[in-house]
Amino acid sequence: MSHEAIGMLTTIAIATIGCLYFIRIDWKRYGLLYLISALAANLLCYTFTYLGFYSFPNNILHKGFLTPFGLVSTVFPLLTMFGVRFSPDSWSWKIPFYWALVHLGVLGEVILKQTIIFKFEPEWDLWDSYTLWWIYYLLFELLGGKIVPSKHRKPISSDAFRYGKWGWIVLHVIVISTIFLAGVYVGVTIFK
């Protein structure tokens, strides 16, 4: 078994455990959120692949399928449920929270792009992905607020994002390191 296949299986297994963690909190509401998120993610991924924006030339675990539905059906819903469960109450702190979440998602996409599994076509680039990640998660934040009642959410305290607190530190480590890595990626891509 290749390193890519082991990496995909490991990611799917960890994301599945994470999804089950959230679903067990309230299986009806988080389960519904999971289903809608998985369906939307797979539909978007299939559409963009079908239109030729990107491709999965070596779809190792999902031979015969256009997209890696196992990966898409676990990772996107996990991040969706994580966002709905823990996003701060105030929009002034939701935006930085999702900023970090989007950066982690795009980082994962860049890592996947470096394997034989995933390939951007000329019509698609990281800016397209970045924009779509924002739209996807902010729409699910709004939808999740309608599906999951506040008693089943645990918003991170706004105080945690104040200077020097743990949320501030985590946010800055994620955002600054991913922006630095994006700069390295652009430099390597340009000078290739």
Side-chain angles (χ1 to χ4, degrees):
M1 189 177 285
S2 70
H3 295 299
E4 286 86 0
I6 292 169
M8 280 184 75
L9 279 173
T10 304
T11 303
I12 291 169
I14 291 168
T16 299
I17 291 166
C19 287
L20 292 173
Y21 167 79
F22 290 110
I23 291 170
R24 94 177 160 74
I25 294 168
D26 182 339
W27 70 271
K28 286 182 184 176
R29 290 179 177 91
Y30 277 105
L32 177 61
L33 189 61
Y34 168 83
L35 289 174
I36 295 170
S37 178
L39 182 65
N42 276 293
L43 185 63
L44 285 169
C45 188
Y46 181 84
T47 301
F48 294 140
T49 305
Y50 182 78
L51 292 173
F53 293 149
Y54 49 79
S55 63
F56 299 91
N58 295 297
N59 202 347
I60 297 168
L61 298 178
H62 306 90
K63 292 191 186 311
F65 291 95
L66 194 58
T67 62
F69 64 88
L71 197 62
V72 174
S73 298
T74 55
V75 173
F76 281 85
L78 173 62
L79 292 175
T80 298
M81 291 186 288
F82 179 86
V84 169
R85 174 87 168 154
F86 296 112
S87 69
D89 287 326
S90 167
W91 275 97
S92 60
W93 296 112
K94 278 184 194 293
I95 297 300
F97 173 83
Y98 278 105
W99 190 19
L101 205 61
V102 166
H103 275 230
L104 289 175
V106 172
L107 175 64
E109 197 170 290
V110 170
I111 291 169
L112 187 62
K113 188 176 178 258
Q114 303 308 311
T115 69
I116 61 170
I117 299 168
F118 186 54
K119 179 182 173 207
F120 281 163
E121 299 303 335
E123 297 81 13
W124 193 264
D125 62 22
L126 276 178
W127 187 250
D128 298 315
S129 289
Y130 187 77
T131 304
L132 193 61
W133 279 85
W134 267 108
I135 293 168
Y136 183 85
Y137 286 113
L138 290 180
L139 286 175
F140 270 99
E141 168 63 27
L142 295 172
L143 180 64
K146 304 283 185 216
I147 294 173
V148 180
S150 57
K151 69 178 182 178
H152 293 301
R153 298 178 88 171
K154 276 185 125 172
I156 297 172
S157 166
S158 297
D159 190 51
F161 290 98
R162 305 260 184 240
Y163 179 78
K165 302 282 182 144
W166 73 268
W168 185 90
I169 293 168
V170 170
L171 171 71
H172 281 76
V173 166
I174 291 170
V175 172
I176 291 170
S177 62
T178 53
I179 289 172
F180 172 77
L181 290 172
V184 170
Y185 173 77
V186 169
V188 168
T189 304
I190 288 174
F191 296 112
K192 220 175 202 182

